[in-house]
Amino acid sequence: QLVESGGGSVQAGGSLRLSCAASGSRYSSLCMGWFRQAPGKEREGVALLDADGTTTKYAASVKGRFTISKDNAKNTLYLQMDSLKPEDTAMYHCAANSVCLPATIATIDSVYDYNYSGQGTQVTVS
């Protein structure tokens, strides 16, 4: 089970940190990521992270502004979002895949095929 938190309303240029708490004993072996969806728009992969937290992939639209990380001791995935723009407004979902191979984070769209995803947390930038 994945539960997101940390969303909210912020002005352009501000920051937010999203969290995704995961249950289960295999957390440290999961590939994880974030995707977002805004009303009337297609979903967009945002960031991916491999099991040991050393390899990342970002969408071009967020690269240099967002940082994905994980804390295995807390079974928690994070998304630090800086220099937020109105176009970042969306529902943000975390996702996890029980198999973590290089191919699992080869492309940002890989996140759509992950085994698990959460209900999401809303981010609004004005």
Side-chain angles (χ1 to χ4, degrees):
Q1 183 180 8
L2 302 174
V3 180
E4 303 94 336
S5 61
S9 296
V10 64
Q11 291 189 334
S15 297
L16 283 173
R17 188 176 79 158
L18 306 184
S19 299
C20 173
S23 58
S25 60
R26 297 184 60 238
Y27 173 81
S28 61
S29 65
L30 301 174
C31 268
M32 301 192 74
W34 294 90
F35 66 94
R36 65 188 181 185
Q37 187 155 25
K41 295 184 179 180
E42 291 188 1
R43 59 184 176 176
E44 179 186 17
V46 175
L48 305 179
L49 183 68
D50 69 352
D52 58 13
T54 58
T55 303
T56 58
K57 184 169 291 291
Y58 294 95
S61 58
V62 307
K63 197 168 187 179
R65 301 188 298 120
F66 290 11
T67 303
I68 188 171
S69 63
K70 65 189 297 191
D71 185 335
N72 285 340
K74 296 182 178 180
N75 278 19
T76 302
L77 179 74
Y78 301 102
L79 185 68
Q80 177 66 42
M81 306 187 297
D82 299 318
S83 303
L84 282 161
K85 304 175 180 180
E87 51 264 43
D88 294 319
T89 296
M91 183 72 77
Y92 284 72
H93 301 263
C94 72
N97 202 65
S98 55
V99 175
C100 193
L101 301 171
T104 314
I105 60 167
T107 66
I108 198 68
D109 290 349
S110 300
V111 69
Y112 305 145
D113 296 324
Y114 284 13
N115 302 123
Y116 310 101
S117 62
Q119 293 297 310
T121 185
Q122 177 68 37
V123 172
T124 302
V125 185
S126 60

